[in-house]
C-alpha cells in the first residue's frame, strides 16, 4: 500500500507493549548516531504513558563490541576486556533500554555473529516482558540488521513485527546481489513484516520497485526541543546559512563550497557554518582553503544536539545539497525552528520543500545552488517564520505523527489477534 498512511479511525486501546530493535542507536562512542530514534521514543513515552517501550541494545555503536579484521590485536583485547553483564536503563516509567553486549564483526565470518546477537535480543525481550508483561509488537528500525532479528523474535514469540526503513540509498549495497536486487535473505523480513513503514513517499516508491509493500509514516521531530528563537534578524546583519551533515560524498558539501566561491563577493554579506564530522571533512577543509573561503566558512565539527538546536535557531536559513536523502531529517529540524531551507531534488526533500518554506535545486549543480542561495538571501522577507513553523507542526511534529503511529500499532496488533 503506497502513499500516506490512512486507516479507519478508532481509539487506540492501551496499554501496549512495544519492543524496539534499532539498527543503530546513540552511544558514548557515537553520540549522534541515530539520535532521532531515542528522541522519538521519549516523545512517544511522554504522550502515551500507558504505552510501554523497551529498546534492545547489544552494542550497535559501542566500539568495545565492534571487532575489525584489520585490528586483530585490538579485537583480542576487546574480547578479553568485554563487559558481559546485562544492564537495564530506566529512562521513564514506561521506557527502558535493555543492554546485552554481543560482538559484531565481518559478515564474511559466521555471518557477523548474528546467532549470538539474536540471543542477546531474545534476552532483552525476555527482560522487557518481565518488567511489563507479554510483548504486543516488535518494531525494527531498518531491515539490516534489525529487521532480521525482529523477524526471528516475532516467530519465536508468535507476535507481529513491523519495519521502519530509513536507509538511503535504498537498497544498500550490503543487501543486494551483483544485479542490484535484494537477496532472498534481506527480502524475507520485508515480506513477512506487518507492515513496512517508509519515512517518505520517495522511499516508499523505491521500496515498491522491489516488491515491498509499504505505508508512509514520516519521521518526526519533538516540537518542544526544536523551536524558533525569539531573537529577530537585525538590518545589515551578515546573512548566515547553517549546514549539518555527516561529512561524506553523498551530502554534496563540495558542491556547496563551489557555490559559495561563486558568491564570494555577493551582497548581502553571507557566512556559512558547517556542522558535522565524517570521512571527507579533512578533504573539504582543504578544498575550502584552496578556494579562498577561510573567512566565509566556519567548520564546527561534530556538535551536540543542544548545540545543533542553537545553530538552527541562530542561523537565517539552512542549506544542504545532498545527492540522496530517503527523507532528510535535518531539513525538518530547520523547519521546526522556523527557518527556510534549500535542498536538492534528491528524493525525500521533494515532498518536504514548498513555495512557503524554501527552494529546491538540481543536485550536482553548484551554479543553480549559488543562484538559490542568492535568491533566498535577497528575498528573505518573503519567508514567514510562523508559517514555516506551522507547516512543520501540521506535518512533521510529534503531535501530528504520533497518533498515526500509535493507531498503526493498534491496527497491526488487532489484525494479528484476528488471525486464526
Amino acid at each position: 500500500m503506497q502513499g500516506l498512511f490512512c486507516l479507519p479511525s478508532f481509539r487506540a486501546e492501551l496499554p501496549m507493549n512495544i519492543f524496539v530493535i534499532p539498527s543503530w542507536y546513540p552511544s558514548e562512542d557515537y553520540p549522534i548516531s541515530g539520535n532521532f530514534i531515542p528522541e522519538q521514543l521519549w516523545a512517544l513515552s511522554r504522550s502515551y504513558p500507558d504505552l510501554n517501550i523497551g529498546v534492545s541494545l547489544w552494542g550497535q555503536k559501542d566500539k568495545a563490541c565492534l571487532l575489525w579484521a584489520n585490528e586483530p590485536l585490538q579485537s583480542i583485547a576487546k574480547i578479553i576486556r568485554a563487559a558481559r553483564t546485562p544492564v537495564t536503563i530506566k529512562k521513564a516509567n514506561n521506557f527502558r533500554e535493555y543492554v546485552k553486549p554481543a560482538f559484531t564483526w565481518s559478515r564474511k565470518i559466521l555471518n557477523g555473529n548474528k546467532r549470538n546477537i539474536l540471543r542477546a535480543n531474545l534476552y532483552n525481550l525476555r527482560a522487557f516482558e518481565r518488567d511489563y508483561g507479554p510483548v504486543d509488537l516488535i518494531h525494527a528500525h531498518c531491515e539490516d540488521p534489525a529487521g532480521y532479528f525482529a523477524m526471528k523474535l516475532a516467530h519465536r514469540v508468535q507476535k507481529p513485527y513491523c519495519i521502519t526503513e530509513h536507509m538511503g540509498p535504498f537498497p544498500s549495497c550490503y543487501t543486494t546481489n551483483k544485479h542490484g536486487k535484494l537477496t532472498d535473505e534481506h527480502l524475507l523480513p520485508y515480506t513477512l513484516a506487518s507492515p513496512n513503514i517508509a519515512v517518505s513517499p520517495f522511499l516508499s516508491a523505491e521500496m515498491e520497485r522491489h516488491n515491498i509493500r509499504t505505508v508512509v509514516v514520516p519521521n518526526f521531530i519533538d516540537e518542544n526541543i526544536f523551536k524558533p528563537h525569539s531573537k529577530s534578524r537585525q538590518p545589515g546583519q551578515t546573512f548566515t546559512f547553517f549546514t549539518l551533515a555527516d561529512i561524506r560524498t553523498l551530502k554534496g558539501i563540495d558542491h556547496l563550497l563551489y557555490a559559495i566561491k561563486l558568491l564570494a563577493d555577493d551582497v548581502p554579506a553571507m557566512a556559512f557554518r558547517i556542522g558535522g564530522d565524517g570521512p571527507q571533512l579533512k578533504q573539504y577543509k582543504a578544498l575550502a582553503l584552496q578556494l579562498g573561503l577561510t573567512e566565509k566558512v566556519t567548520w564546527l565539527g561534530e556538535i551536540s544536539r543542544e548545540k545543533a538546536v542553537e545553530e538552527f535557531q541562530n542561523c537565517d536559513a539552512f542549506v544542504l545539497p545532498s545527492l540522496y536523502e530517503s527523507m532528510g531529517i535535518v531539513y525538518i529540524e530547520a523547519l521546526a525552528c522556523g527557518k527556510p531551507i534549500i535542498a536538492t531534488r534528491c528524493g525525500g526533500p521533494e515532498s518536504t520543500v514548498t513555495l512557503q518554506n524554501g527552494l529546491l535545486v538540481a543536485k550536482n549543480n553548484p551554479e543553480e545552488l549559488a543562484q538559490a542561495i542568492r535568491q533566498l538571501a535577497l528575498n528573505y522577507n518573503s519567508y514567514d517564520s510562523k508559517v514555516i513553523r506551522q507547516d512543520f507542526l501540521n506535518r512533521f511534529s510529534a503531535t501530528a505523527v504520533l497518533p498515526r503511529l500509535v493507531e498503526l500499532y493498534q491496527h497491526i496488533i488487532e489484525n494479528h489477534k484476528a488471525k486464526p
Side-chain angles (χ1 to χ4, degrees), residues 79-370:
I79 294 171
I80 294 172
R81 296 195 304 264
R84 294 180 172 83
T85 305
V87 176
T88 298
I89 303 169
K90 183 177 179 180
K91 311 297 285 188
N93 287 335
N94 62 332
F95 176 18
R96 299 185 182 188
E97 296 170 350
Y98 297 87
V99 186
K100 179 70 167 71
F103 292 114
T104 300
W105 57 64
S106 170
R107 301 167 192 243
K108 298 177 182 178
I109 303 175
L110 298 176
N111 206 14
N113 199 31
K114 271 189 172 181
R115 177 181 295 182
N116 285 324
I117 295 173
L118 177 60
R119 289 173 180 166
N121 277 281
L122 178 60
Y123 182 96
N124 289 339
L125 185 144
R126 295 307 188 195
F128 171 67
E129 292 189 320
R130 285 194 294 272
D131 288 336
Y132 296 108
V135 66
D136 294 305
L137 172 67
I138 300 171
H139 186 172
H141 284 271
C142 288
E143 181 278 329
D144 186 27
Y148 169 84
F149 300 126
M151 176 185 68
K152 291 291 188 179
L153 290 185
H155 177 74
R156 178 77 173 259
V157 299
Q158 291 299 293
K159 296 292 183 178
Y161 73 96
C162 62
I163 300 173
T164 291
E165 191 55 74
H166 308 268
M167 181 59 66
F170 182 88
S172 162
C173 62
Y174 297 109
T175 63
T176 55
N177 59 27
K178 62 182 180 180
H179 303 294
K181 300 292 185 181
L182 281 164
T183 65
D184 291 344
E185 176 188 2
H186 291 285
L187 183 59
L188 186 61
Y190 293 120
T191 303
L192 299 180
S194 306
N196 300 290
I197 302 169
V199 295
S200 71
F202 167 76
L203 183 56
S204 175
E206 294 285 283
M207 295 173 72
E208 295 275 354
R209 274 195 279 273
H210 290 266
N211 298 315
I212 300 170
R213 295 178 298 107
T214 66
V215 297
V216 177
V217 179
N219 276 322
F220 62 89
I221 296 297
D222 189 336
E223 57 267 38
N224 298 308
I225 297 175
F226 287 84
K227 53 190 175 182
H229 198 287
S230 58
K231 183 178 66 175
S232 59
R233 175 171 170 75
Q234 301 301 313
Q237 181 179 325
T238 298
F239 196 97
T240 302
F241 281 93
F242 177 48
T243 298
L244 182 62
D246 182 16
I247 310 299
R248 56 192 174 97
T249 303
L250 273 179
K251 297 303 179 179
I253 303 300
D254 52 341
H255 300 145
L256 175 60
L257 296 176
Y258 287 122
I260 296 171
K261 177 62 177 177
L262 295 173
L263 295 162
D265 299 320
D266 253 34
V267 177
M270 288 184 248
F272 296 81
R273 296 174 63 81
I274 302 176
D277 196 358
Q280 266 70 52
L281 179 59
K282 185 176 180 180
Q283 173 187 340
Y284 292 157
K285 279 186 173 182
L287 177 60
L289 184 64
Q290 177 186 336
L291 294 174
L293 302 178
T294 305
E295 296 184 3
K296 289 284 184 181
V297 176
T298 300
W299 299 93
L300 303 173
E302 186 174 291
I303 58 177
S304 67
R305 294 299 275 166
E306 294 76 16
K307 179 63 175 173
V309 172
E310 284 183 27
E311 293 290 338
F312 279 115
Q313 291 175 334
N314 292 331
C315 73
D316 295 302
F318 181 83
V319 57
L320 180 63
S322 287
L323 307 186
Y324 188 106
E325 292 285 354
S326 58
M327 179 180 177
I329 205 161
V330 287
Y331 301 111
I332 311 303
E333 292 169 349
L335 298 180
C337 295
K339 306 299 181 177
I341 60 179
I342 297 176
T344 45
R345 296 183 185 90
C346 64
E350 290 162 55
S351 58
T352 299
V353 179
T354 68
L355 293 175
Q356 288 71 42
N357 68 19
L359 297 169
L360 273 174
V361 300
K363 58 186 179 182
N364 294 307
N365 194 325
E367 292 78 13
E368 187 176 340
L369 177 60

Side-chain angles (χ1 to χ4, degrees), residues 17-28:
N17 293 336
I18 309 299
F19 189 66
V20 178
I21 308 179
S23 291
W24 16 253
Y25 201 79
S27 68
E28 289 187 10

Side-chain angles (χ1 to χ4, degrees), residues 383-399:
Y383 295 97
D384 188 325
S385 177
K386 292 181 180 178
V387 171
I388 293 172
R389 168 73 174 181
Q390 189 58 54
D391 175 56
F392 155 77
L393 291 173
N394 293 342
R395 295 196 289 158
F396 303 116
S397 65
T399 301

